[in-house]
Amino acid sequence: MATVNKNLSDYDKTTIPDASKFRFGIVVSEWNDTITEGLYKGAYDTLIENGVLPNNILRWDVPGSYELIYGSKKMQEQMVNAVIAIGSVIQGETKHFDFVCEAVSQGIKDLNVTRETPVIFCVLTDNNMQQAIERSGGKHGNKGTEAAIAAIKMAELRENS
């Protein structure tokens, strides 16, 4: 497991570009909202800690992780430097998990290769609720923090390329 003995919230602030000049969009799935709200808090707090002004963080909610693709596409049109797509898909008893995970990962990949604004994949795809809790502010830290750092770095890359 990739997160064993790793805290997703650990990063070296000295290696992070100045984010005060950037504007970010965050698209949050309402499904599994106890998880996605934790991820949002991690992302939002990390952006603020790295100099982003609160009014330069735009949040939109969508019903579920599948809808993150469309929400992220529309968010790219909002003059943001990067988008963070936040969701949580937890394995159930049917193949629905596989179809949603595949569609969301491919959809976000497609936005990254066909459009100019980077979209950061902050979608937990866990086997159970406990794993999701551990990665959204629990013992493994917060994947939202990791996504915010990636968004800052990708906004900087976009600006400088």
Side-chain angles (χ1 to χ4, degrees):
M1 181 179 321
T3 51
V4 170
N5 300 320
K6 177 169 176 50
N7 186 320
L8 299 169
S9 301
D10 289 342
Y11 66 94
D12 179 357
K13 193 167 181 166
T14 64
T15 65
I16 309 306
D18 176 17
S20 64
K21 60 191 171 200
F22 297 130
R23 188 165 186 252
F24 295 91
I26 304 177
V27 183
V28 183
S29 168
E30 295 171 334
W31 192 260
N32 292 328
D33 65 336
T34 57
I35 302 304
T36 59
E37 286 303 318
L39 295 169
Y40 172 77
K41 181 176 179 0
Y44 180 87
D45 290 351
T46 301
L47 293 173
I48 297 296
E49 287 170 12
N50 284 280
V52 180
L53 298 173
N55 61 334
N56 284 336
I57 302 171
L58 178 60
R59 176 186 172 149
W60 288 352
D61 293 334
V62 295
S65 290
Y66 193 83
E67 291 77 24
L68 288 170
I69 303 161
Y70 182 78
S72 294
K73 180 178 95 168
K74 298 310 280 183
M75 184 65 84
Q76 287 176 312
E77 300 169 2
Q78 300 302 307
M79 304 288 289
V80 296
N81 299 95
V83 175
I84 302 170
I86 294 177
S88 171
V89 186
I90 298 173
Q91 178 72 54
E93 296 177 6
T94 69
K95 295 191 83 51
H96 185 256
F97 173 87
D98 299 326
F99 298 133
V100 171
C101 292
E102 179 72 17
V104 174
S105 61
Q106 291 298 321
I108 291 173
K109 180 268 299 174
D110 290 346
L111 292 175
N112 278 309
V113 297
T114 61
R115 305 189 92 181
E116 291 300 313
T117 304
V119 179
I120 307 306
F121 186 84
C122 182
V123 181
L124 296 182
T125 56
D126 295 303
N127 291 320
N128 56 57
M129 182 61 80
Q130 188 58 44
Q131 286 180 343
I133 291 167
E134 290 170 357
R135 289 158 182 77
S136 60
K139 75 177 187 178
H140 291 303
N142 194 315
K143 180 73 172 171
T145 298
E146 183 180 326
I149 295 303
I152 293 167
K153 290 180 177 182
M154 292 304 290
E156 179 81 0
L157 175 68
R158 178 181 180 215
E159 182 177 278
N160 292 332
S161 62

